[in-house]
Structure formats: structure tokens, C-alpha cells
Amino acid sequence: MTQVWKLEDRRQTLVLASVDGRMPSVVYWGGKLPQGEDLAVLAQATRLDVTGGMLDRLPDLSICPEVSQSFSGQPGLTIRSEGGTPLRPRFVLESVDNTDDTLTVTARDAALGLTYRAVFTLVQSTGVIEARSEIGSLSPIWLDWLAAPVFPAPQLADKMIDFSGRWCGEFQRVDTPWTPGARMRDNRTGRTGHEYFPAIILPVGDARNTAGEVVTFHYGWSGGHRMVAEELPDGRRQIQFGHAAGTHLAKGTSFASATLFAARSEDGMNGCAIAFQRHLRDHVVRWPHPDRPRPVHYNCWEAVYFDHKLDELKEIAERAAALGAERFVLDDGWFGRRDDDTSSLGDWDIDARKYPDGLDPLVSHVKSLGMTFGIWFEPEMVNPDSDLYRAHPDWALGDADQITGRQQLVLDMSIPAVVEYLYTKIAAVLSVYDVDYIKWDHNRVLPYPDAAQAEGTRALLERLGRDFPEVEIESCSSGGGRIDFGILGSTQRVWLSDSNDAIERLRIQHEAALFLPMAVTGSHVGPRHCHTSGRVIDIHVRAWVAAQRHMGFEMDPRELTDDEAVVLKDVTAWWKTNRNWTIAADILRLDSVDPEVTAELQRAADGSRFIVFVGQTGTSAQVLPRPLRLSGLEVDAMYKVALLDSVGNNPASRKGVTLSTAPVVLSGRFLMQQGLSLPKCFPQSIWVVEGERV
């Protein structure tokens, strides 16, 4: 007997089927099926043959593949009894609750006292499917692995795309061909990690940014993840995501995966990117001030580091405000005896040496300039040289003689007293001072993965969010070490990378846009001489790269020449003028055959206007720029297209291109088929093109 269920919206249909009461499988996920499609026949049509050397029935590639079904690939669940004996559940389908938007599967193994539950939710407004799994037991068990509901991977995909990275080099694309066997990635750092962003993209055939069929998955968990992309000997493929191996350190009777976010597109990778951008912005993030424009940041870190002097900070604040900043963030160095990174983490009391009158003089001055005030914390960490560690060495996670990172240890967030202490210290600052923003940092990996660590941090963030709902929190982890939809359920911004090198950020922002909208992605104008790369970059490039995302400054404004200050003020003014529509814009990555060109188009929600950023990072192989095809426009609409004139001196061009001298009116068809001809420019340059439907 075959039972079938479906979820669908105007773009897609997801079909699950169960045969003879076994665990259901995803038998179809694709374009929306016709209304009269017989799903039982469809499910039967997906059954595969058997041949010599195989079992007499192909084991199901179900939403939780089972060892008890002789499934030879990676199982969806690996558990042991309280005494350590491996258990091999044989689940029998109990019920499926199928509403318009949600499908809940419940299965049991009565003999072992186990219940498995999977929930699929299709969010109609974005097309994203949220899937999660749970396992319950009547007696304590050890959990070694629980996958979120398992999806089949496209049979016609030639490769998979995921992301590696490092500090100041996040979101490095990795293309891997499909081959028999498994590509397994196990991030055991205890945080989301620079090293492996928890996602995979599966393009079918020659799909690219702007065209073709693509499937994308993202695991919304901050404690380290495991991914399995496996091709079985029979040719079937599966995608599994779950917590990193060894994450659950204690036995229990109830465990759950994080949410797996899944999207598919027939419009290339941009289709999935738009779904994820909208879903995060509109359904995951809780905005403290949803109607307030995103404020222009100023962060003092790269101006003063630990050397806090009130008069200098006041002067810097004045200059930042004059440039257009609307929020001043006091970074590391305001607490304990924090003169460098060797001491005082955990001692969250204001340093009376630097601030004899507390933070009031600085906060009052910042507010008098029309800016709000933000402050830096790194709550989950402790220095051995701190009053907190001397009083509570038992609060540190791991062995006393472990290797430190940035001269620090990690606090054990599974200890209630630790979480209470941190809440009390943070709440004391938020209660006394008018703070509207926290930069929440996390500057070292864990000594070992522990799910309780991420859960304790999330609980602390949620408690602060309830008690101080007006305060926005940024997730920073040495830059991009903790970016995922899980942490963004309790925060509102991410610091994408500690690199303020605008050329490097072009690439990082470009890849991150596959998942992150402008609203959450911090991007700051760094110093002329970049502190992380040593490169000297023109102010036009630094300013316009920052203007592609949630804009801010992170340098000493006193270093700016008069000409540089004018450029920065102009670009900041442009950003403020346009942020009401760019904040809700879709970011479309543009295809370029020139590897030295990184380009994107931001399209207004109503399609009435767009902005194109074209970064020339290095020297092209050919003499002149190749035409750049746009994307996401209406083919029959006409657009007035203009090149902004404030992108810097360009001696490489003799202004032979029409856009160099005047706007042009062109059809969407032409702009997407032929593309824009841009002026010649030197490496490390940027073009900014505005378009408006006429």
C-alpha cells in the first residue's frame, strides 16, 4: 500500500510517500505539478529496478534512512542504549498530519520505546522549506547522529558547491564533482565556523547565477555541523545535515536537529539566493525597530584599539557624525584592566582608569551628536588573567592546561550560574546606559564540540532579547565565524569578515549574498592602509563596497584628507537616500566571463529601480571590458540607465562609451541579452550604475 502527501505553492510541489507503513521518502521535489496529477501513480513511477548483485528490494532512501532496512549508506540516526549497545530502530509509520503549509510525520519503534518525528513547513511567501527532526525515547539513550529530514540530491547534477574559509577569508567557494561515495564535512570547532559555512548548493547541468535549475540547503545551527553528500552504488544521492559528531555529551530521552532550510529554483542560483535573503529578513530575524531605517555605523576599533582616551573618542565621534554616521560603537577595551588581549575577559565592569565618571560622558556626547550608542561584549569567553577566572576556574570549558586562543578560554554555557552571571553583568550596562546595540564577539573555537554550549548561548540571547527588546545585537566571531540562520533568530546583524580590505570584501559579500540580505550584512569603510592585508585602497572603492550592504565606517576619521572626506560624505548620503528601498531589495549576482570582474544587481521590491555594482579586482586578459548582462528585469520594460559620476578618477578611459557622458534608455531585453558596455578602468576600481523603469 502506498500513501502520499504533498506541500506546494505557486512555484513547487514536494511529495512524500510511504510504502507498506515504512518511513516516508521524498519522491518528488520540483516545479508545481498539475492539479490532476495522481500522486500515488507518481510515487509508484519513481520506484527503481533491481538487478544482479543487489538485494531483492531497494532499501528506502527515506527522510531517515534506517540500518534495519539494510540501507548501506549513511543512516539518518545512530543511537546507543544507556549501556552503550548500538540500537537499530525499525520505525513503523504512525501518522502524518498534512495541512496546507505543514507536514508532520510521526513513526514509532514500540519494541525500543522510540518515537521519531519530522516536520516540514513550506513558507508560501518565500518558497523556503523548513525541515527538522526529533527523536524521543522512553529510557535514556546516547545520540551519536541525528540528521534533519533527508532530501534526495538531483540525479542530473554534475557538481556540488559549498564553502570553506579562514579568518579574513570567509566564503571561499569549493566546487566538487559528484562521484560514488560520500563527501562528508564535519565542523567540530563548536561554532558555525569560518572554515565551513553550513550549506550546499546543487546546480543541475550548466546552471549558473542567472539561469538553470538549482537546489540549496542551509543548516541553521551555531554549534558546529556535519554534512553528508552521498552517492550510493545504485546511483541514488542523499543530502544530510545535523550537529557535528560528538556534539551530544550526555545521554537523554529527547533530542532534536536544528532547522534545515531548503530552496529550489529554475532561475539559477539567484532564485535560491532571493528565497533565502527574503526568508531570513522577513521570517527569521526579529527586528527591534522594524520601521527605523538601518543606521550608518561607526566602530572605533581600528581607530584606537585598546587605547581608550575620552577626549580622543569624543573627537572621533564628532568627525564620524559629520561624515554621516548615526550609531557610535565602543569596541573592546572599556572594562576590567583591558589594555591588550591578555586579560580581563569576564570582568564586565567599567575600567575606572579610562572612564573615571563611567560611560556617561561618552554616551551623552554621542547622543548630543544625534547618534545612538553601541558597545562591545565577548560574553562566552574568559581570560585566565581575570578576576572571574581566579574566582571560578571551574567555569571554564575543558581542561585547565588546554591550548588558549587569543589568550582566552571558553566559559561553560551549560552551567546555569555562568549564564546568570553573564546576564547580570550585561543587563547592568543596558539598564544604566542608553545602549541600542551590542557587538557580540566570539574570538576562539571551543576545545571540543558541545551542543549545550550553543543552546546556553541562545538561551542567554533570547532572555536579553525579551528583557531589552529595543537593543539590536550583532553576531561577530572573529568576523564571520558564527553566521547562520540559527544565531540570526536571536540577533539582527552579522560582521561578515574582520577584513576591511574592500577588494577582498567584494568577493566575500558576493558569495555571502547567496544566503544573506543587505539588511543583516555589516560592511564598513576601513582605513586607507588596510590593517589586515597591508593593501592601500582608494576611498571611492572602500566607500562603494561598504555601500553595497549595511554601511558603516571602521577607521580613524582623522586620517581622511579633505577630498576623501567629501567622497565618503557623498557616498554615505547616497546610501541614506536610497536605503529605504535597498534594504528590501533582492541581491542578484551577475554572471561574468571575466574572472577579474565581480558584479551584482540590487533590484527594488517593486521592480521599479535597480543599482549595479561592478568591481574590477585585477587586470583582465582582454583589452576592453566585456558587456555585462543584467538580470531580473522585465523584458518589455524600458529603463533609464546612468553611470554615477562619483566613482573616482579614471585615466584608463577616453570616454568612448555612451554611459561615460550621458544616461541611456534601454529595454530590459537588451540589458539582459546584450548587456552594458562599461568604460575601461584600472584594477581595484568600481563602477556604480543606477537604473529606473520609465
Side-chain angles (χ1 to χ4, degrees):
M1 181 182 68
T2 301
Q3 297 172 274
V4 291
W5 308 269
K6 72 175 180 178
L7 294 173
E8 67 181 1
D9 59 19
R10 60 183 177 82
R11 295 155 288 204
Q12 64 186 319
T13 302
L14 175 75
V15 180
L16 268 66
S18 169
V19 178
D20 297 334
R22 297 194 299 271
M23 187 73 79
S25 305
V26 174
V27 296
Y28 177 83
W29 184 28
K32 186 177 181 180
L33 294 171
Q35 193 64 34
E37 184 91 47
D38 188 323
L39 298 184
V41 173
L42 179 151
Q44 293 166 4
T46 64
R47 293 181 186 175
L48 299 176
D49 202 356
V50 294
T51 187
M54 297 177 65
L55 297 175
D56 295 334
R57 176 177 64 79
L58 205 59
D60 298 326
L61 201 170
S62 70
I63 59 174
C64 183
E66 299 167 84
V67 174
S68 61
Q69 294 287 336
S70 298
F71 185 78
S72 60
Q74 170 73 33
L77 176 67
T78 306
I79 56 176
R80 291 172 287 130
S81 70
E82 186 173 11
T85 302
L87 301 177
R88 300 178 181 85
R90 183 182 296 273
F91 287 110
V92 175
L93 184 65
E94 181 176 271
S95 65
V96 176
D97 182 14
N98 193 182
T99 66
D100 288 343
D101 300 326
T102 302
L103 196 155
T104 303
V105 176
T106 303
R108 297 192 192 279
D109 183 323
L112 295 178
L114 298 172
T115 301
Y116 173 88
R117 181 170 288 108
V119 181
F120 298 80
T121 301
L122 173 56
V123 179
Q124 297 280 335
S125 60
T126 65
V128 170
I129 295 172
E130 297 183 349
R132 61 188 185 277
S133 61
E134 306 168 3
I135 185 72
S137 176
L138 296 178
S139 58
I141 57 174
W142 294 95
L143 176 67
D144 295 323
W145 172 247
L146 172 63
V150 175
F151 283 75
Q155 288 276 309
L156 300 181
D158 298 320
K159 66 181 178 182
M160 59 190 86
I161 300 170
D162 57 3
F163 299 93
S164 65
R166 56 169 173 78
W167 178 70
C168 287
E170 294 83 351
F171 284 95
Q172 297 183 32
R173 174 170 162 166
V174 179
D175 289 34
T176 306
W178 276 100
T179 58
R183 173 168 168 76
M184 187 177 77
R185 192 178 61 206
D186 201 6
N187 172 22
R188 294 173 49 79
T189 64
R191 62 182 180 182
T192 318
H194 304 79
E195 301 82 2
Y196 307 111
F197 182 69
I200 191 169
I201 300 171
L202 305 172
V204 175
D206 61 354
R208 54 192 188 277
N209 284 322
T210 57
E213 182 184 348
V214 179
V215 173
T216 303
F217 299 94
H218 167 64
Y219 191 60
W221 171 245
S222 302
H225 75 282
R226 186 181 190 185
M227 180 204 79
V228 178
E230 183 177 28
E231 180 172 308
L232 303 172
D234 55 52
R236 294 179 297 170
R237 296 167 173 174
Q238 64 165 332
I239 299 296
Q240 293 190 13
F241 275 94
H243 292 10
T247 290
H248 296 285
L249 305 183
K251 58 183 179 292
T253 57
S254 180
F255 300 93
S257 75
T259 299
L260 179 65
F261 298 86
R264 67 170 306 277
S265 163
E266 296 178 8
D267 299 314
M269 289 190 286
N270 282 340
C272 291
I274 290 169
F276 278 114
Q277 291 168 23
R278 293 177 179 178
H279 194 80
L280 178 62
R281 185 187 62 227
D282 300 338
H283 295 278
V284 175
V285 175
R286 176 195 64 82
W287 298 104
H289 307 279
D291 299 325
R292 184 177 76 175
R294 301 296 279 147
V296 177
H297 263 53
Y298 176 76
N299 184 293
C300 70
W301 175 243
E302 294 199 31
V304 301
Y305 293 105
F306 298 101
D307 188 17
H308 290 208
K309 295 182 177 68
L310 181 59
D311 288 344
E312 285 192 12
L313 288 169
K314 285 183 175 181
E315 180 188 1
I316 288 170
E318 291 167 5
R319 291 180 180 251
L323 292 167
E326 298 163 307
R327 172 186 282 154
F328 181 95
V329 181
L330 184 66
D331 212 286
D332 193 357
W334 57 267
F335 55 92
R337 298 183 66 84
R338 182 78 164 170
D339 297 326
D340 54 35
D341 64 5
T342 65
S343 74
S344 300
L345 281 180
D347 299 341
W348 300 109
D349 297 306
I350 296 164
D351 186 347
R353 301 172 305 153
K354 300 176 183 178
Y355 299 97
D357 299 315
L359 296 179
D360 275 323
L362 180 59
V363 175
S364 297
H365 186 70
V366 165
K367 292 182 68 64
S368 74
L369 297 169
M371 294 189 289
T372 62
F373 182 78
I375 195 166
W376 181 93
F377 282 95
E378 193 174 1
E380 297 148 89
M381 302 294 162
V382 63
N383 286 121
D385 182 10
S386 66
D387 292 341
L388 178 64
Y389 185 78
R390 283 184 282 271
H392 296 286
D394 55 312
W395 283 6
L397 186 69
D399 298 330
D401 62 350
Q402 66 183 273
I403 301 171
T404 57
R406 202 175 183 247
Q407 325 300 324
Q408 62 198 51
L409 302 172
V410 183
L411 290 172
D412 188 342
M413 299 296 289
S414 70
I415 301 174
V418 170
V419 177
E420 186 63 31
Y421 169 84
L422 293 173
Y423 174 84
T424 300
K425 289 295 185 181
I426 297 170
V429 175
L430 301 184
S431 299
V432 171
Y433 300 105
D434 189 2
V435 174
D436 88 327
Y437 177 87
I438 293 174
K439 179 180 177 181
W440 186 297
D441 219 334
H442 185 282
N443 277 309
R444 69 151 287 176
V445 300
L446 272 60
Y448 48 80
D450 183 359
Q453 190 73 14
E455 290 163 357
T457 299
R458 181 69 180 266
L460 175 57
L461 285 166
E462 290 181 347
R463 183 179 176 187
L464 288 166
R466 289 191 300 270
D467 293 349
F468 301 94
E470 300 300 304
V471 176
E472 181 177 328
I473 300 176
E474 176 188 83
S475 175
C476 176
S477 185
S478 301
R482 188 159 63 184
I483 296 175
D484 61 82
F485 284 24
I487 201 71
L488 279 161
S490 300
T491 59
Q492 293 79 28
R493 192 178 195 256
V494 296
W495 184 227
L496 191 58
S497 177
D498 275 348
S499 173
N500 267 335
D501 182 310
I503 301 303
E504 292 177 350
R505 288 191 73 93
L506 265 175
R507 182 200 58 76
I508 298 171
Q509 291 178 178
H510 187 69
E511 302 294 0
L514 288 163
F515 303 93
L516 304 179
M518 181 267 242
V520 305
T521 309
S523 188
H524 295 175
V525 181
R528 184 187 309 115
H529 183 268
C530 180
H531 295 187
T532 55
S533 71
R535 188 154 33 195
V536 175
I537 301 174
D538 181 79
I539 187 62
H540 298 88
V541 178
R542 286 184 281 146
W544 281 113
V545 170
Q548 294 179 33
R549 300 297 185 265
H550 184 190
M551 188 177 189
F553 320 141
E554 190 152 351
M555 44 48 176
D556 191 338
R558 296 171 296 182
E559 81 168 20
L560 295 171
T561 66
D562 290 344
D563 288 344
E564 287 175 328
V566 168
V567 171
L568 186 50
K569 287 177 68 173
D570 287 348
V571 175
T572 303
W574 177 91
W575 191 86
K576 288 181 176 180
T577 299
N578 289 275
R579 63 184 163 187
N580 285 337
W581 72 266
T582 58
I583 203 72
D586 298 323
I587 303 172
L588 304 175
R589 292 156 34 108
L590 301 180
D591 291 314
S592 174
V593 295
D594 186 342
E596 302 300 336
V597 171
T598 301
E600 69 176 37
L601 179 149
Q602 296 183 14
R603 179 186 61 195
D606 63 1
S608 64
R609 60 195 308 176
F610 61 83
I611 185 82
V612 178
F613 298 95
V614 187
Q616 179 81 30
T617 56
T619 302
S620 297
Q622 73 285 348
V623 175
L624 298 177
R626 299 188 188 278
L628 180 70
R629 286 183 169 185
L630 305 190
S631 183
L633 307 181
E634 298 174 32
V635 294
D636 296 326
M638 303 301 294
Y639 296 89
K640 180 181 178 181
V641 180
L643 186 67
L644 288 187
D645 60 0
S646 54
V647 292
N649 185 31
N650 181 31
S653 171
R654 297 182 180 179
K655 297 188 177 180
V657 175
T658 304
L659 270 180
S660 295
T661 56
V664 294
V665 177
L666 297 165
S667 69
R669 173 82 69 186
F670 178 89
L671 291 169
M672 293 189 291
Q673 189 84 48
Q674 171 67 22
L676 280 175
S677 293
L678 294 168
K680 173 70 175 178
C681 65
F682 287 144
Q684 297 187 28
S685 299
I686 191 166
W687 293 122
V688 183
V689 179
E690 289 185 307
E692 185 174 1
R693 192 172 55 204
V694 296

